[in-house]
Amino acid sequence: MPLRESVFVVDDDPSMRTSMDRLLRGYGFATTLFDTGGALLDHDRFHTAICIILDINLGARSGIEVRRSLAEKGIAAPVIYVTGNDSPANRAAAIASGCIAYLIKPFAAQSLIESVERARVS
């Protein structure tokens, strides 16, 4: 089995995807980018994921729903949620779904990098 080598980034906002991609690559991480939860769920190389950075508000399907679908498929990659719409309900659902971090946009670059580093050693 190949080593976990890539951070999967799922965000429907192209500028956020690009920003996270540049930041992660700047810290030496490879990335795999997805613009929808469906595109992520169609992917077949989850064993290569260091972690999945998952936007909570993805349009047709919430990131939390996507996380549940991943769990149903037996995919246990660590999840870092990002959101621009923080609420007690979102936070509780994210934590209940088993995330390792919950970051509110705009978040500090170091917060994201530290979360990915934690995922890498888990």
Side-chain angles (χ1 to χ4, degrees):
M1 178 180 290
L3 294 174
R4 295 184 309 160
E5 59 194 20
S6 184
V7 176
F8 290 11
V9 177
V10 188
D11 200 306
D12 58 349
D13 179 341
S15 64
M16 272 306 291
R17 267 194 326 274
T18 300
S19 294
M20 286 189 279
D21 179 50
R22 285 183 183 147
L23 173 65
L24 292 162
R25 287 183 182 278
Y27 278 84
F29 294 102
T31 58
T32 305
L33 307 177
F34 304 90
D35 60 355
T36 67
L40 173 70
L41 291 169
D42 288 342
H43 194 66
D44 65 354
R45 297 186 48 89
F46 288 97
H47 61 280
T48 66
I50 294 169
C51 65
I52 301 169
I53 299 171
L54 192 51
D55 187 14
I56 288 182
N57 298 315
L58 287 172
R61 201 168 183 188
S62 80
I64 294 167
E65 290 171 357
V66 171
R67 173 67 183 110
R68 288 184 188 126
S69 295
L70 291 168
E72 288 169 6
K73 293 172 123 181
I75 298 162
V79 170
I80 299 166
Y81 285 112
V82 296
T83 186
N85 294 321
D86 183 35
S87 71
N90 276 351
R91 185 178 294 263
I95 291 168
S97 77
C99 65
I100 64 164
Y102 178 90
L103 304 177
I104 302 164
K105 296 174 186 176
F107 47 83
Q110 196 58 36
S111 296
L112 182 65
I113 297 303
E114 287 172 0
S115 298
V116 172
E117 289 287 357
R118 258 194 332 271
R120 181 166 46 184
V121 298
S122 67

